[in-house]
Amino acid sequence: MAAAPQTQAQPASAAVKARQRRAREEELLVWPDLVFIEFICAVLFTILIVGLAVMVDSILLDRANPAVTPNPSKAPWYFLNLQELLLHMHPALAGVVVPTVALIALGAIPYWDNTAEGQGEWLSTPRAWLNLKVGAAVGAIGTTLLIFYDESKHIQVFEMIAGKDSWPEPLNFMRGLRGIQNEINWPAWTLDVPLGNVLRLDLLGLPKIELDWNIPGFIVEQFIPVNTMVGLPILLSLVAHKLKIAQTKRDHMILQFSGFIAVYVTLTIVGTYFRGEGLALVPYTIFADPSH
Amino acid sequence: MAATERPQGRSMGDRLYDAIFGNRLWRSIFRSGYPNTPRNQMLAVATNVFLHLHPTRIHRTHVKITHTFCLGGLSFFLFLGLTISGVLLMFYYVPSVDRAYTDILALETDVRFGQLMRNMHRWMAHGMVLTVLMHMMRVFYTGAYKPPREFNWVVGVVLLVLTLLLSFTGYLLPWDQLALWAITVGTNMVGSAPLLGEPNRFILVGGFQVGQAALTRFYALHVIGLPLMAAVFMMVHFWRIRRDGGLARPL
Ligand code: HEM
């Protein structure tokens, strides 16, 4: 479209750190170059959308009926990742704390990685692609394995090999996350610790805590999930640092962001296609009838 | 159209051109003719209320499709398309639990192009969630969030949240089983937060369960509250792109 010769970006030598004067010969006029592209884009997408809308009708099920709960009931697809999390931890954690923290962390990215490195070009730093791949792979595989663990898939695999009911009794607490709560003989007192009598906030003039604390429940629903969600990414960065995969801030950022996207996508896919009746893990339901 | 070696006399094309673009009506709308000198092309952008969101010049690397994949522009385009199709849908839709569902049914069966309008609105809505997410990824992987663009990234995150909320509030409006239960599941997630969760859910839903109050609230948010907020943040977003010196490029 433009006649001027293709010029390479300047090598980022340390001496030329300061922003160069805007090189006029490197610039194009918005009219017509950009306006033209925008116009073509808009036309193509109008055609695409009209085509899609002619061919595929949107769903309309029966009239809303509060008395009939469909099984499974699912949130819109872009929230199914949260709904999937909900199955593995305390609802307050999955439904509110995780999305809030995730959004704040997302917004904080530029304040943490404020280097100028790799700016304005696709994955241009030396280890960018490597970190993208490692982060995405660890995120996707790790999430899948964690879900499999919580759904006792490892038991199924073990018993397929070693025979029916062969999972050793003493290891029952490893059947899934809930196993820690249900398969261990917790002393009775751990099930409701009257927090108000332990943490005597009333002595400090604050209101007395009225809460019976269920320690095993707390461990399974909050302590382990929080530590997994915070710990595994930190571990990933530490290991990547040791192995010299991630060396700069930008490297770590790409690693973590790619991991986050992979986790997000994996959870969405599992929540959308692999959760059937009662939200049980089922093989593939993409072709299931949406009307029940 | 170089006018150097032209034979004498005005051709048919020239006269037609003048008739279309030289008449008083056209001139009253577009004060000048086609901008065919660089100076006029810059003025065309700078003086047009719609085009002046752009700078007058941009760096050559940024018109390559593969730099942005047009994703931010497409998000905006879909937002505009959703506004137009949404207004058309409003002609036929009354947000009442008695009427909402039958209005949608009537829209699909009785209204000319009603089904098409609904389909377009729905696919564009899903599409916008996707393009915004992908736009965020493109900005991240091109390192375009770095100083001085930190704040525009934050504005972007707000736009992402608004986009999700727009889609979520729209989900309830057809008032079918899918709508009711998706919103019930979604708002219950809000309700599970410690301390403020239940009060917040109550405010959002306007009662103990998703009913008329929820429909009214979601409708108001969907057709006016959230789009206005999104429009304001988009203005800031675009303005900041220019103030930050155009799109990011290598130092
Ligand atoms: C409704 C949603 C959004 C709209 C309509 C929108 C629109 C745009 C447009 C038109 C551009 C110009 C370049 C391009 O097309 O890529 C842009 C750039 C940018 N956007 Fe967005 N955006 C949205 C959401 C977001 C989100 C979610 C983020 C990040 C979290 C974000 C961060 C940025 C940044 C930092 C730039 C500057 C990029 C650069 O300098 O290369 N935007 N946006």
Side-chain angles (χ1 to χ4, degrees):
Chain A
M1 147 187 348
Q6 196 69 38
T7 41
Q8 293 299 308
Q10 258 84 18
S13 88
V16 206
K17 262 279 140 67
R19 197 174 197 113
Q20 290 129 350
R21 280 285 308 146
R22 302 170 57 163
R24 284 296 186 203
E25 68 278 14
E26 288 289 289
E27 294 188 332
L28 298 174
L29 292 177
V30 161
W31 182 297
D33 294 272
L34 183 63
V35 175
F36 179 74
I37 292 177
E38 288 173 342
F39 179 72
I40 297 292
C41 255
V43 170
L44 283 182
F45 259 71
T46 309
I47 294 173
L48 191 88
I49 290 160
V50 172
L52 191 68
V54 167
M55 286 185 296
V56 196
D57 281 347
S58 7
I59 306 178
L60 188 67
L61 304 185
D62 294 338
R63 190 175 186 286
N65 182 353
V68 180
T69 315
N71 190 359
S73 293
K74 290 191 181 182
W77 62 267
Y78 39 82
F79 286 150
L80 285 183
N81 35 52
L82 296 179
Q83 203 179 347
E84 176 64 31
L85 277 189
L86 212 55
L87 298 171
H88 307 287
M89 57 191 71
H90 194 275
L93 204 53
V96 180
V97 179
V98 171
T100 309
V101 171
L103 283 172
I104 293 175
L106 209 56
I109 287 177
Y111 296 93
W112 189 71
D113 174 20
N114 54 3
T115 58
E117 204 191 355
Q119 194 174 179
E121 266 179 307
W122 278 92
L123 294 161
S124 57
T125 46
R127 289 165 303 280
W129 271 105
L130 177 64
N131 279 290
L132 187 158
K133 287 179 199 156
V134 172
V138 172
I141 297 171
T143 309
T144 311
L145 290 180
L146 285 173
I147 293 175
F148 275 20
Y149 178 77
D150 207 22
E151 292 287 337
S152 308
K153 290 289 165 198
H154 55 299
I155 313 279
Q156 279 180 18
V157 174
F158 182 87
E159 298 196 335
M160 229 156 59
I161 298 165
K164 208 167 170 313
D165 297 329
S166 58
W167 184 261
E169 184 86 21
L171 292 187
N172 266 349
F173 73 94
M174 281 173 61
R175 282 182 168 270
L177 205 44
R178 282 284 168 199
I180 296 175
Q181 189 178 4
N182 300 335
E183 306 288 344
I184 293 178
N185 260 333
W186 291 89
W189 67 266
T190 57
L191 300 185
D192 45 283
V193 183
L195 261 198
N197 296 347
V198 181
L199 293 174
R200 295 295 301 273
L201 289 189
D202 50 323
L203 294 182
L204 299 172
L206 296 170
K208 189 164 186 275
I209 301 176
E210 304 285 352
L211 181 69
D212 289 336
W213 192 33
N214 179 335
I215 293 181
F218 170 79
I219 291 178
V220 164
E221 292 181 340
Q222 307 191 37
F223 186 77
I224 294 180
V226 167
N227 281 286
T228 311
M229 288 183 293
V230 175
L232 290 187
I234 292 180
L235 190 67
L236 173 64
S237 258
L238 287 178
V239 172
H241 205 82
K242 263 273 173 306
L243 299 180
K244 300 240 185 306
I245 293 173
Q247 298 176 17
T248 61
K249 268 190 190 175
R250 173 77 173 147
D251 285 348
H252 281 284
M253 217 58 259
I254 294 179
L255 184 72
Q256 294 294 336
F257 184 81
S258 308
F260 172 75
I261 297 288
V263 171
Y264 184 96
V265 171
T266 310
L267 288 174
T268 311
I269 292 176
V270 172
T272 309
Y273 297 128
F274 296 93
R275 287 289 173 186
E277 231 163 84
L279 295 180
L281 199 62
V282 291
Y284 212 52
T285 55
I286 188 172
F287 296 117
D289 180 5
S291 56
H292 57 247
Chain B
M1 219 182 283
T4 40
E5 314 252 326
R6 200 58 86 57
Q8 291 299 309
R10 288 159 51 78
S11 68
M12 261 278 274
D14 279 356
R15 265 180 285 150
L16 189 63
Y17 185 91
D18 278 354
I20 297 175
F21 300 114
N23 69 52
R24 280 182 57 197
L25 177 63
W26 184 275
R27 292 297 244 189
S28 74
I29 305 172
F30 302 100
R31 288 169 198 277
S32 43
Y34 180 84
N36 46 13
T37 65
R39 186 187 134 78
N40 283 345
Q41 288 177 339
M42 283 195 277
L43 284 176
V45 172
T47 58
N48 181 294
V49 64
F50 301 109
L51 290 178
H52 95 280
L53 278 174
H54 297 103
T56 53
R57 310 154 161 276
I58 58 172
H59 196 262
R60 60 168 53 258
T61 48
H62 295 148
V63 293
K64 277 176 83 182
I65 305 273
T66 50
H67 185 69
T68 61
F69 289 100
C70 291
L71 285 165
L74 280 176
S75 309
F76 184 54
F77 170 75
L78 289 176
F79 179 74
L80 294 181
L82 282 160
T83 310
I84 296 168
S85 55
V87 168
L88 292 177
L89 291 177
M90 281 174 76
F91 290 173
Y92 298 98
Y93 174 87
V94 177
S96 116
V97 291
D98 297 324
R99 282 198 55 182
Y101 182 72
T102 44
D103 281 354
I104 299 284
L105 273 183
L107 182 79
E108 292 193 341
T109 49
D110 301 347
V111 178
R112 189 159 302 170
F113 298 127
Q115 174 83 62
L116 184 73
M117 244 344 110
R118 172 162 190 243
N119 291 350
M120 283 182 67
H121 195 73
R122 204 170 176 100
W123 298 135
M124 283 195 279
H126 286 312
M128 186 172 165
V129 174
L130 280 176
T131 54
V132 171
L133 285 174
M134 291 196 302
H135 169 61
M136 179 182 81
M137 288 168 69
R138 123 48 204 154
V139 170
F140 180 85
Y141 287 119
T142 53
Y145 56 83
K146 296 174 169 233
R149 295 177 182 76
E150 308 102 307
F151 185 66
N152 217 13
W153 171 271
V154 176
V155 173
V157 174
V158 174
L159 281 172
L160 171 67
V161 175
L162 288 174
T163 307
L164 292 177
L165 288 179
L166 267 166
S167 183
F168 185 64
T169 48
Y171 219 85
L172 181 65
L173 304 185
W175 203 250
D176 62 347
Q177 279 290 73
L178 188 67
L180 176 70
W181 290 98
I183 297 320
T184 304
V185 171
T187 48
N188 280 347
M189 283 189 207
V190 177
S192 58
L195 302 178
L196 290 181
E198 188 44 38
N200 271 330
R201 195 198 67 85
F202 196 90
I203 293 173
L204 195 62
V205 172
F208 290 105
Q209 50 168 301
V210 178
Q212 178 62 57
L215 186 57
T216 310
R217 279 162 205 226
F218 275 50
Y219 180 73
L221 287 173
H222 185 74
V223 302
I224 184 79
L226 293 168
L228 269 184
M229 279 166 71
V232 169
F233 276 93
M234 280 180 204
M235 266 156 45
V236 177
H237 198 57
F238 301 154
W239 182 240
R240 280 301 293 234
I241 296 175
R242 294 197 52 187
R243 300 320 299 166
D244 295 337
L247 299 193
R249 61 200 169 89
L251 284 188

